Amino acid sequence: MDLTVVRWFLTVAELGHVTNAAAELRVSQPGLSRAIARLERELGAPLFDRAGRGVALSRYGTVFAEHARRLVAEDEAARRALAQAADPERGEVSLAFLHTQGPRSCPT
């Protein structure tokens, strides 16, 4: 499953209109429609009920939308974590030493 298409699905669900979603996403309307159709085939369920020029989430689409939001949120969290780990100004430095080279008490 392509996360880009999942994001597109969420945009269509939010706007309730494929043409408006395509304009916002800056993709062609036929390309967006085909991507949604492929996603529906992959999932084996219709995600939208089409009515006139608009669309509304089907009962399957409502279930999938909850999971899609979590997928996108986890992807964003993973990207943030990786960016923080790669940031040279942040992170952890591990120090180690041999216990035999530790502090010594000198006889007085």
Side-chain angles (χ1 to χ4, degrees), residues 60-82:
Y60 305 110
T62 301
V63 171
F64 181 67
E66 293 175 30
H67 294 277
R69 287 184 192 99
R70 287 197 299 267
L71 280 169
V72 169
E74 282 297 318
D75 177 61
E76 291 168 359
R79 290 176 188 276
R80 278 192 308 274
L82 287 172

Side-chain angles (χ1 to χ4, degrees), residues 43-101:
L43 295 172
L47 300 175
F48 293 101
D49 292 325
R50 287 145 180 93
R53 293 180 179 226
V55 292
L57 286 175
S58 68
R59 65 186 186 122
Y60 305 110
T62 301
V63 171
F64 181 67
E66 293 175 30
H67 294 277
R69 287 184 192 99
R70 287 197 299 267
L71 280 169
V72 169
E74 282 297 318
D75 177 61
E76 291 168 359
R79 290 176 188 276
R80 278 192 308 274
L82 287 172
Q84 286 179 346
D87 185 355
E89 299 293 321
R90 306 181 97 189
E92 294 181 19
V93 175
S94 298
L95 301 175
F97 66 94
L98 295 173
H99 71 281
T100 58
Q101 300 297 316

Side-chain angles (χ1 to χ4, degrees), residues 8-9 11-34 36 48 50-56:
W8 291 358
F9 159 78
T11 302
V12 173
E14 178 184 321
L15 297 178
H17 200 275
V18 176
T19 302
N20 294 347
E24 182 170 312
L25 295 166
R26 296 187 176 135
V27 298
S28 71
Q29 185 274 328
L32 178 57
S33 293
R34 284 192 299 271
I36 296 296
F48 293 101
R50 287 145 180 93
R53 293 180 179 226
V55 292

